[in-house]
Amino acid sequence: MSIILGKDDLAKYPFLEEAGNYIRETHFDLDEFNRSEFLHIIERASKRIEFELIQGKVFTDLEKYDIELFTFLVSLIIMKYINEDSAIKKFSLFEAMRVERFLVSDLSKEKDLTRKNLLISKVFRELFQLDVELDPKNNHLFKMNISDYLIRATSFNEEEWKLIGRAVDNGYVYLDGDETVRLIRYEIYKLMYNRIKNMNITKIPEQIKIHAGLIKNKLAPVIRYSHTTIDLPPCIKKALELLNKNENLPHSARFMLATYMLSSGKSVNDVILLFQNAPDYNEKITKYQVEHLAGKKGSQTKYSVPSCSKLVNENLCYATIDCRGITNPIQFGRKNRK
Amino acid sequence: MKKEITIKNNEFIFTLFKEYYFKNIENLKPPIEMQNREFGIMTFDSKVIRHLSFSKLGNLKAYIFQNVPSDIFCSNAYYQFPTFPINEKGWKGADMIFDIDLNDLLLPCQKEHTFYICSNCHVVFRDLTKICHECQNTKILKNTIPCFRCIRALKKETKNLTEFLKKDFGIKEENMEVSFSGNTGFHVVVFQNNYLMLDSKARSDIVGYVMGKNLSPESLGVRNDKQGYKIKIPLSGYSYGWRKRIIQKMKISEVSNDYLNKFIKKIGGYQSFKNEIDKIASDLGLRIDPQVTTDIHRIFRMVGSLNSKSGLSKIICNNLDQFDPMTDSCFFDDDINIDISLNTPLKFSIKGKKYHLDKSISTVPVSVAVYLISKKLANIASCSS
């Protein structure tokens, strides 16, 4: 067996090649999951999925590596059996956030530089072809090529990710562990999603099917939005379309959608419902944020819908010929309605 | 009458451009991977022809001899199918390009040598106008004859840009090409592999960086707060990039919470600190044309071709300090004199010789005639040997 990383690492990062090799080398047969001694693994996997899909929380429990590796495998099989895109996306996002937590902690706390470098090599280079190096002057900092940074950071709209605010030198951007890991969240998410989607299992063990069926029954039905009564501007339609597909909307798109709906007379509760399909939906947080935008929390300021030019800058504009002459999505269709 | 003058001017310029390409065709520098570039030309009747492709320099030369364009352009992008419509070309990356133009430098001397010219009757105005007072035409051209101060400032800005690119972006000297645009600016082309695949949004972020736009106190660890402000020194410190520039310029010798706190208090709190950052970033930021750099499908003037706005050639500057655009990029022989009628009195230098023309008809060398006619500041009168 050729495990280069420690076993604890495999427990945290069960998607690494070494983890797959370990399972292969045990000559484990999937049918063995029907045996009672593996029931705790299936139950643990079910708990992990329910925690993430139903409670909307990151599952941070960490067991011994063999338990973790099999739990991860069963989780993927359950998700494959459930075969609902919205659920797979949500699970993938929460799993990405779980990995992110372990990785941030390992990169910031690990004192052994060889181990730290090995982790960087395994996760960033081998999995995502992202060349990240430890800063020789400061072992808590990581450096990556400016272009590698920009390819990822430009999908975030927050000002803090703009290159100008970063430590830049000689073709490199210097980041702390937290920032470095945040940059690859989407890639980890895609990795999880593709693992499930590309799984090819001829016969799923009965025990796993039973547990998967139970979870499936507990999942909230996917809400499909249709707005036929009023004309919606194309930017808002696009955001709703993405939510219908359970895509993860960027913060700026959520802001646009919520302020638009509030300004067009929808209640806070109606607006909260719109976000139920978001993979990272959390009712409490969504409620607070929508109430804040409606001027019912915090500074009591009611937020306006962002202007068309702001939306263009944020790549959220999908203007059509009907948008001619408007400067804010809220003006859309007013002429037609007069 | 006006139309006749335009035809006469065009014939004169066309003949000389044709002669230039016959004598100096070797000036044309083929771009890297020429077969993957889109070429475009402008004709003397102002038509733009795009989506051309030349796999060999010889083919391009033959096309130029045959068509004698007023301007020749080549894409910064590499395409799988350069002749296809833009969405079907198969984009394979693009050189990163920067344009430093006199108009963006806003120099105090610019008004002294900027002219507003009616595109119809060529009457010249010294002050900005939206309408021609002679013929009521609303298309007014703005032309500048750069003075030595302008050239000096342009060269300084270009040098600062190349330093920025080397120091912050790690771009190697051999992966960078600096050229005079042939009119009132300089171009810097970066063809370093790791930057070629960046999309428009990523390039826009680079533009913001180079121009010093939207640098926030938060990026230096200072956050606005109900009580005033909070300081949390970033783990990545102040040793690099803009953070270093700001700290050095503010003369903050020691970066610690206490020291920074004292400094911010002293200058008046968060907003004053922000204003100070804005001011420093605006002073140290470079003035480039953002649209050029963010465009990943641009056709850009080709090195060695003539610029129809001046009659000067776009030329590579291997030694920026020594480079004199009004001499080094002027390729017309001066063995013939030409009579031109001036639209306004002018003072300028070409090929090291100073001119002070205030007569309506002046006899000048070919290089001067081409320059002034291209700038729409003079018309051809007649030939004299």
Side-chain angles (χ1 to χ4, degrees):
Chain A
M1 199 163 66
S2 60
I3 299 174
I4 303 167
L5 283 166
K7 287 174 179 174
D8 289 347
D9 295 319
L10 293 191
K12 291 180 215 164
Y13 312 112
F15 47 83
L16 290 177
E17 199 186 345
E18 283 81 351
N21 291 343
Y22 169 77
I23 289 180
R24 264 189 294 280
E25 283 165 23
T26 59
H27 300 290
F28 184 81
D29 189 316
L30 283 184
D31 269 345
E32 291 182 60
F33 279 125
N34 288 323
R35 286 165 48 191
S36 60
E37 56 263 46
F38 282 103
L39 191 61
H40 73 287
I41 298 278
I42 300 174
E43 282 170 349
R44 192 163 181 275
S46 300
K47 189 181 159 195
R48 177 164 168 169
I49 294 170
E50 284 190 18
F51 204 73
E52 295 181 339
L53 294 192
I54 296 160
Q55 295 188 41
K57 287 178 185 164
V58 179
F59 187 78
T60 48
D61 278 11
L62 196 59
E63 278 279 358
K64 279 185 180 168
Y65 78 100
D66 46 356
I67 295 178
E68 280 303 335
L69 293 191
F70 283 111
T71 306
F72 180 68
L73 176 65
V74 174
S75 304
L76 299 189
I77 299 173
I78 291 177
M79 292 314 299
K80 181 75 185 175
Y81 183 74
I82 289 175
N83 197 26
E84 248 182 42
D85 204 47
S86 57
I88 296 173
K89 279 179 178 161
K90 192 166 182 175
F91 172 78
S92 304
L93 183 70
F94 277 93
E95 283 295 306
M97 283 152 74
R98 174 183 158 91
V99 174
E100 205 178 307
R101 288 191 187 192
F102 293 139
L103 208 46
V104 166
S105 167
D106 280 349
L107 291 182
S108 53
K109 288 178 191 158
E110 181 60 63
K111 288 194 176 107
D112 180 348
L113 292 188
T114 316
R115 227 183 76 76
K116 211 172 190 175
N117 270 320
L118 186 61
L119 197 59
I120 291 171
S121 161
K122 287 284 158 194
V123 177
F124 291 94
R125 276 185 219 128
E126 284 184 21
L127 274 179
F128 304 121
Q129 289 77 50
L130 175 61
D131 223 353
V132 174
E133 287 170 48
L134 270 181
D135 178 12
K137 291 182 206 159
N138 179 349
N139 291 329
H140 294 290
L141 281 186
F142 303 87
K143 60 175 196 170
M144 70 172 74
N145 238 299
I146 290 178
S147 45
D148 284 335
Y149 172 82
L150 286 175
I151 286 166
R152 290 161 180 88
T154 47
S155 63
F156 306 143
N157 285 301
E158 291 88 350
E159 283 290 313
E160 64 181 290
W161 293 99
K162 292 265 177 244
L163 190 63
I164 191 161
R166 294 279 148 197
V168 174
D169 188 55
N170 199 26
Y172 291 100
V173 181
Y174 291 77
L175 304 161
D176 61 30
D178 203 345
E179 295 160 341
T180 310
V181 175
R182 175 69 185 88
L183 272 184
I184 57 160
R185 179 189 286 179
Y186 183 70
E187 278 147 289
I188 305 173
Y189 160 81
K190 283 302 273 183
L191 176 87
M192 299 292 177
Y193 180 81
N194 290 335
R195 280 271 166 101
I196 299 167
K197 283 284 182 185
N198 299 334
M199 256 183 151
N200 190 9
I201 303 173
T202 44
K203 195 174 169 233
I204 294 179
E206 278 309 308
Q207 273 301 332
I208 293 183
K209 277 188 192 175
I210 293 166
H211 281 80
L214 290 173
I215 296 173
K216 197 170 182 175
N217 289 338
K218 289 183 195 170
L219 291 179
V222 176
I223 302 159
R224 300 279 169 228
Y225 309 108
S226 60
H227 292 261
T228 48
T229 49
I230 53 162
D231 289 294
L232 289 174
C235 48
I236 302 296
K237 270 188 193 159
K238 181 75 184 176
L240 287 173
E241 202 180 295
L242 291 173
L243 276 180
N244 270 341
K245 289 185 196 162
N246 304 94
E247 298 288 343
N248 205 13
L249 285 187
H251 172 76
S252 49
R254 291 171 196 227
F255 181 87
M256 169 193 75
L257 183 60
T259 50
Y260 178 87
M261 289 300 177
L262 290 169
S263 296
S264 42
K266 291 252 182 272
S267 70
V268 167
N269 282 341
D270 285 346
V271 178
I272 293 169
L273 282 176
L274 287 176
F275 292 98
Q276 268 191 357
N277 282 356
D280 58 350
Y281 175 73
N282 178 312
E283 193 183 345
K284 212 171 138 192
I285 295 173
T286 310
K287 188 168 184 278
Y288 177 82
Q289 287 175 336
V290 176
E291 283 178 345
H292 186 81
L293 295 179
K296 292 179 179 172
K297 279 266 153 68
S299 60
Q300 312 283 309
T301 313
K302 190 179 173 193
Y303 284 79
S304 319
V305 185
S307 66
C308 293
S309 59
K310 190 158 198 301
L311 297 178
V312 169
N313 285 338
E314 289 173 335
N315 284 339
L316 297 173
C317 172
Y318 295 87
T320 62
I321 197 158
D322 295 328
C323 296
R324 255 198 316 218
I326 66 167
T327 54
N328 190 296
I330 205 74
Q331 298 161 338
F332 185 86
R334 273 185 191 169
K335 279 182 192 166
N336 299 341
R337 286 203 288 272
K338 271 179 191 169
Chain B
M1 182 64 185
K2 302 287 183 213
K3 204 173 173 186
E4 275 172 26
I5 291 172
T6 308
I7 292 170
K8 226 170 161 184
N9 286 345
N10 272 355
E11 278 174 1
F12 173 72
I13 300 288
F14 178 87
T15 311
L16 283 156
F17 272 38
K18 191 174 180 180
E19 196 181 305
Y20 167 82
Y21 285 118
F22 269 106
K23 284 185 183 168
N24 302 287
I25 197 72
E26 297 311 321
N27 282 3
L28 278 185
K29 186 178 174 266
I32 298 167
E33 291 186 35
M34 184 172 181
Q35 70 282 7
N36 295 323
R37 307 282 190 154
E38 176 200 351
F39 286 82
I41 61 149
M42 192 183 270
T43 64
F44 274 89
D45 50 359
S46 300
K47 280 185 192 137
V48 177
I49 302 171
R50 286 191 68 163
H51 313 301
L52 302 171
S53 169
F54 302 97
S55 53
K56 289 178 190 158
L57 187 58
N59 299 348
L60 173 64
K61 287 177 182 173
Y63 183 89
I64 292 169
F65 290 146
Q66 205 174 352
N67 296 282
V68 191
S70 70
D71 301 270
I72 306 167
F73 306 99
C74 166
S75 66
N76 64 331
Y78 304 81
Y79 298 113
Q80 204 173 353
F81 309 109
T83 58
F84 283 25
I86 204 84
N87 293 330
E88 297 163 26
K89 282 185 191 296
W91 190 82
K92 291 167 61 183
D95 297 334
M96 195 155 66
I97 51 178
F98 297 89
D99 179 23
I100 293 171
D101 194 272
L102 202 51
N103 284 328
D104 297 316
L105 297 193
L106 308 172
L107 299 173
C109 63
Q110 206 179 337
K111 197 179 178 310
E112 292 169 25
H113 40 68
T114 294
F115 305 90
Y116 300 92
I117 305 150
C118 171
S119 66
N120 178 44
C121 65
H122 290 189
V123 167
V124 177
F125 303 95
R126 293 310 309 268
D127 294 316
L128 175 66
T129 177
K130 286 182 177 172
I131 189 163
C132 172
H133 307 318
E134 296 290 321
C135 71
Q136 312 307 309
N137 175 31
T138 53
K139 197 178 172 199
I140 308 291
L141 310 169
K142 183 185 172 190
N143 270 342
T144 302
I145 293 189
C147 67
F148 74 96
R149 284 164 295 191
C150 298
I151 306 281
R152 197 172 53 196
L154 279 168
K155 281 160 70 168
K156 191 178 165 211
E157 200 74 353
T158 307
K159 217 169 173 183
N160 286 344
L161 174 63
T162 56
E163 287 306 313
F164 229 102
L165 293 175
K166 279 190 264 184
K167 190 164 179 342
D168 289 39
F169 290 85
I171 290 162
K172 294 191 174 77
E173 189 104 39
E174 63 265 29
N175 291 331
M176 210 171 1
E177 187 180 85
V178 177
S179 53
F180 172 60
S181 73
N183 192 18
T184 55
F186 283 86
H187 294 162
V188 177
V189 178
V190 172
F191 31 82
Q192 190 156 300
N193 272 340
N194 54 330
Y195 290 98
L196 302 186
M197 293 309 292
L198 292 180
D199 65 9
S200 192
K201 209 173 170 194
R203 288 171 201 237
S204 163
D205 214 351
I206 291 178
V207 166
Y209 188 93
V210 168
M211 295 181 83
K213 293 253 181 205
N214 302 322
L215 182 62
S216 65
E218 282 73 11
S219 65
L220 281 96
V222 181
R223 289 185 188 280
N224 202 0
D225 185 64
K226 276 180 189 161
Q227 279 80 43
Y229 58 88
K230 265 185 186 166
I231 301 172
K232 189 184 173 204
I233 293 182
L235 194 61
S236 42
Y238 299 98
S239 317
Y240 306 122
W242 273 100
R243 293 181 191 171
K244 186 180 179 184
R245 286 187 181 91
I246 298 288
I247 292 296
Q248 277 181 344
K249 197 80 181 169
M250 286 180 172
K251 296 191 172 103
I252 300 175
S253 53
E254 188 192 326
V255 185
S256 67
N257 261 24
D258 278 354
Y259 206 92
L260 204 54
N261 190 22
K262 271 182 202 160
F263 180 85
I264 298 168
K265 253 189 193 154
K266 196 178 152 194
I267 63 165
Y270 177 87
Q271 193 54 45
S272 307
F273 184 61
K274 186 179 185 312
N275 295 345
E276 191 64 16
I277 290 174
D278 286 346
K279 193 179 167 301
I280 295 171
S282 162
D283 288 347
L284 298 181
L286 302 177
R287 290 163 181 86
I288 58 170
D289 182 343
Q291 284 184 340
V292 171
T293 307
T294 52
D295 194 343
I296 56 169
H297 295 285
R298 199 172 192 88
I299 51 169
F300 209 42
R301 197 171 291 286
M302 195 178 170
V303 171
S305 69
L306 291 173
N307 189 325
S308 70
K309 290 177 193 160
S310 65
L312 301 175
S313 171
K314 174 165 173 175
I315 185 171
I316 291 177
C317 312
N318 291 321
N319 185 342
L320 198 58
D321 289 331
Q322 301 291 316
F323 183 76
D324 173 13
M326 302 306 280
T327 302
D328 299 335
S329 62
C330 187
F331 283 85
F332 294 106
D333 294 331
D334 283 342
D335 48 358
I336 298 173
N337 284 331
I338 306 289
D339 285 347
I340 54 168
S341 65
L342 290 171
N343 298 338
T344 187
L346 294 165
K347 260 203 264 186
F348 57 93
S349 293
I350 282 190
K351 288 190 170 179
K353 198 176 164 192
K354 285 183 181 166
Y355 294 88
H356 189 171
L357 307 176
D358 50 10
K359 288 180 201 161
S360 62
I361 301 282
S362 301
T363 304
V364 293
V366 171
S367 56
V368 175
V370 172
Y371 185 67
L372 296 182
I373 292 170
S374 299
K375 288 266 177 196
K376 314 271 186 242
L377 293 168
N379 297 312
I380 194 82
S382 65
C383 288
S384 65
S385 53

